[in-house]
Amino acid sequence: MVAAGRSNLDAVRTWVLDAAASVPQNASGEKMLTPIVQKGIGDVVEVVKTSNSQLNIIGASIRGLSEEYRALGDQKLGRTDPHADGTGKDGDKPEEPQNPYEKALRDAGLLKEPPTGYYKEWLDNAAKRNVPPEEIVKIAREQNITPQSFDVLNGMERVQDEDGKSFFLMPTNTSGEDARKAALMTYVLNCGTDYGKNPKTDFKETPYSAAEVQRIADRQEANSWSYDEDVNSVHEHGGRLMTTPNGMLMGLGGDQWQDVLSEGGGSTWGDIFMMNIDDFMMNIDDPADPAQSLRDVAASGLMWYPQPGGEGAPGILDLDRVLHHEERHSQQWQGRGYLGFIDAYATGKLVEIFTDHPLEKDAGLSDGGYE
């Protein structure tokens, strides 16, 4: 009976496969396939009834064959994977995401859909820099970061340095509020500044964390005037602005009024670091020059300086260090206020006759290129 049952099952299987192979591969063939599959399953049931006394022996084979027929029907009829909706093989649990950052965010109720775009890149950067998943969850929760939070970077031109850090060149019609958001999200996206990779720095690197993101957001709030007023002013006077991994803006170019706001290698006003190389290196009447120069500076990873021959060129000071120096100036603007900073810096110029400028020393003399 066992042998006969197996023989009958094999015969049914062979008939179903041969019949399925003979139908045309089109819509008409799919309709013809349905009764073939149904007849095959019906024949299996008859074999089971006939071989009832041996059911326990051949039951496993029968179940396997029935699944083959169902799978064949699913394939021909264009049905999807029964687990494609995210349920597990038992049908009761969704499959767990493999990425520990994605899993942590999902478990915290902060992520619903699979991560894509800059949001996914944020999680990838966190993994590369060994940021703990719980820190990413804390940042997302405290700053209300969703995949849509990175949309502010769309439409901005990304420039990457040799370390893979991202800078974003802003269109000239960018509002002050969008500039503020883009600066913060650039810091969030990069998951660090690489300041600590330099062999010599004036300070220890502050680790990427929820506390550091909040510190930058608080600094932006205190220096909001530089976004509300100066972003538009820079663009109106022919300059261009770019976000940086330090959560502040870097600018270049403009007319003579813009040049008044920068001295030496550059000056920071609130949250905007205006570099001072355009007088020597470019035609300020050409609006494309400041943008291209910012691309060159960011991509090089080095601070650029004016040259006597009329062109700018990269120096040896790492841009990460300069931006760290200038970001400390932004903190000074935050702490002293608008008039307080101007007064302290002007007083410091007198002190500088005899010793180091107090505010420059506080920002890091070596990082700023003063020694």
Side-chain angles (χ1 to χ4, degrees):
M1 179 61 72
V2 174
R6 287 177 176 172
S7 177
N8 290 337
L9 289 172
D10 288 338
V12 173
R13 179 178 183 275
T14 300
W15 180 84
V16 171
L17 293 176
D18 289 346
S22 67
V23 302
Q25 301 295 313
N26 51 34
S28 298
E30 290 181 2
K31 293 180 180 180
M32 296 169 63
L33 185 63
T34 300
I36 293 174
V37 174
Q38 291 174 342
K39 183 178 184 306
I41 294 176
D43 289 347
V44 170
V45 174
E46 288 301 317
V47 171
V48 172
K49 290 180 179 179
T50 303
S51 307
N52 188 56
S53 61
Q54 302 293 329
L55 182 60
N56 291 336
I57 299 175
I58 65 174
S61 297
I62 295 171
R63 287 192 295 271
L65 290 171
S66 296
E67 286 301 317
E68 286 187 26
Y69 300 150
R70 292 191 180 94
L72 177 62
D74 289 340
Q75 180 181 357
K76 290 290 185 179
L77 295 175
R79 293 173 184 161
T80 59
D81 180 355
H83 306 303
D85 61 354
T87 59
K89 292 184 178 180
D90 295 332
D92 57 352
K93 272 186 178 180
E95 295 182 359
E96 295 288 345
Q98 298 299 313
N99 187 302
Y101 297 90
E102 181 182 349
K103 182 180 185 303
L105 289 162
R106 286 183 182 275
D107 290 347
L110 298 170
L111 179 65
K112 304 299 182 184
E113 66 268 26
T116 59
Y118 287 131
Y119 191 98
K120 181 180 184 302
E121 186 174 331
W122 173 40
L123 303 187
D124 292 341
N125 286 339
K128 293 175 184 176
R129 293 178 177 271
N130 297 316
V131 181
E134 56 268 25
E135 200 66 34
I136 294 298
V137 169
K138 191 174 182 181
I139 292 171
R141 179 180 290 116
E142 292 182 357
Q143 302 299 326
N144 194 29
I145 293 178
T146 67
Q148 290 69 42
S149 300
F150 291 90
D151 288 349
V152 70
L153 300 178
N154 295 336
M156 297 185 181
E157 180 186 343
R158 173 154 75 167
V159 179
Q160 291 182 292
D161 64 13
E162 294 182 354
D163 296 322
K165 294 192 301 300
S166 296
F167 300 69
F168 290 88
L169 181 66
M170 302 191 307
T172 56
N173 63 349
T174 303
S175 68
E177 178 61 17
D178 281 349
R180 184 196 64 77
K181 291 178 181 178
L184 183 64
M185 294 311 297
T186 301
Y187 175 76
V188 170
L189 173 67
N190 281 289
C191 294
T193 65
D194 287 337
Y195 173 73
K197 288 185 177 181
N198 292 275
K200 180 183 178 183
T201 59
D202 289 319
F203 306 94
K204 290 184 179 180
E205 182 175 20
T206 303
Y208 178 82
S209 66
E212 186 67 357
V213 175
Q214 185 59 55
R215 182 192 67 76
I216 291 173
D218 291 341
R219 187 206 71 213
Q220 290 185 319
E221 179 65 25
N223 295 337
S224 60
W225 52 270
S226 59
Y227 296 100
D228 298 339
E229 302 171 14
D230 291 351
V231 167
N232 185 59
S233 177
V234 170
H235 289 148
E236 283 187 342
H237 287 273
R240 295 298 300 271
L241 293 169
M242 172 179 276
T243 69
T244 71
N246 299 67
M248 63 184 298
L249 303 180
M250 178 170 68
L252 187 65
D255 55 20
Q256 292 181 347
W257 165 249
Q258 204 65 55
D259 294 337
V260 171
L261 301 180
S262 59
E263 63 173 24
S267 300
T268 290
W269 290 79
D271 271 16
I272 302 178
F273 169 46
M274 290 301 297
M275 301 178 69
N276 189 30
I277 59 176
D278 57 295
D279 286 342
F280 295 86
M281 69 175 294
M282 67 182 64
N283 175 7
I284 61 175
D285 295 326
D286 182 352
D289 282 341
Q292 185 56 50
S293 295
L294 282 173
R295 295 185 191 101
D296 293 340
V297 171
S300 73
L302 298 170
M303 181 62 181
W304 283 45
Y305 299 95
Q307 301 298 307
E311 295 184 353
I316 61 173
L317 187 59
D318 198 291
L319 185 61
D320 299 332
R321 297 183 64 189
V322 175
L323 289 175
H324 187 277
H325 174 95
E326 299 303 333
E327 202 274 335
R328 287 186 64 88
H329 279 318
S330 290
Q331 294 179 51
Q332 294 166 357
W333 281 96
Q334 173 190 8
R336 295 175 179 272
Y338 189 89
L339 295 178
F341 179 89
I342 294 176
D343 178 67
Y345 203 88
T347 302
K349 295 299 286 184
L350 298 176
V351 175
E352 197 174 23
I353 299 173
F354 307 100
T355 184
D356 298 321
H357 193 299
L359 295 186
E360 295 297 347
K361 186 176 181 178
D362 179 71
L365 295 173
S366 179
D367 289 340
Y370 290 92
E371 60 179 29

